[in-house]
Amino acid sequence: MQRICFVCLGNICRSPIAEGVFEHLAELAGCGAEFQVESAGVGGWHVGEAPDSRARKTAAAHGIRLDGAAQQLRARDLDRFDLLLALDTDVASDLRQMAAHGQRGKIRLLREFDPLARGDLDVPDPYYGSMQDFENVYQMIERACRGLLDSLSTGDTDGRG
Ligand code: 4NP
């Protein structure tokens, strides 16, 4: 069992999409039982809230239902996970600051696994954006989650973005 946490700023837009997409892809690949998947935010503004309605609508258009309530990641939570996937570089640096030295190796950027990232490793924050921004974010997350699942299945987590 691999314990994975997707982490963004508010845990209402990007990381809930990543959690839903990864779980969906793992189920389709027949390996859903191998993963325990959560999402969280480094900020606490939205704790307890459902995912943003635009994130839910975008995921629903791709056949994925998002549920769950926003949670804030604390330093003490880092031990619970084998792998933490930051949705952008600011979040990754917050996580690295929060982590003890020996925990830093399990913090990665999700877009390292996006074959079309071309060195841009941020999934941009869509919170103040349009529905098209949410769709673009969804597409990046889906590509990256496919890459991540392939990497975890083959044991090769070097990344390709
Ligand atoms: P997320 O988006 O990090 O993708 O969940 C955001 C949600 C809320 C805020 C920022 C980003 N906020 O500032 O409240």
Side-chain angles (χ1 to χ4, degrees), residues 126-138:
Y127 189 60
Y128 294 105
S130 64
M131 283 306 291
Q132 185 60 50
D133 293 318
F134 273 84
E135 178 60 24
N136 293 346
V137 156
Y138 179 90

Side-chain angles (χ1 to χ4, degrees), residues 20 30 37 41 49 69 99 115 156:
V37 188
E49 291 179 21
D156 169 18

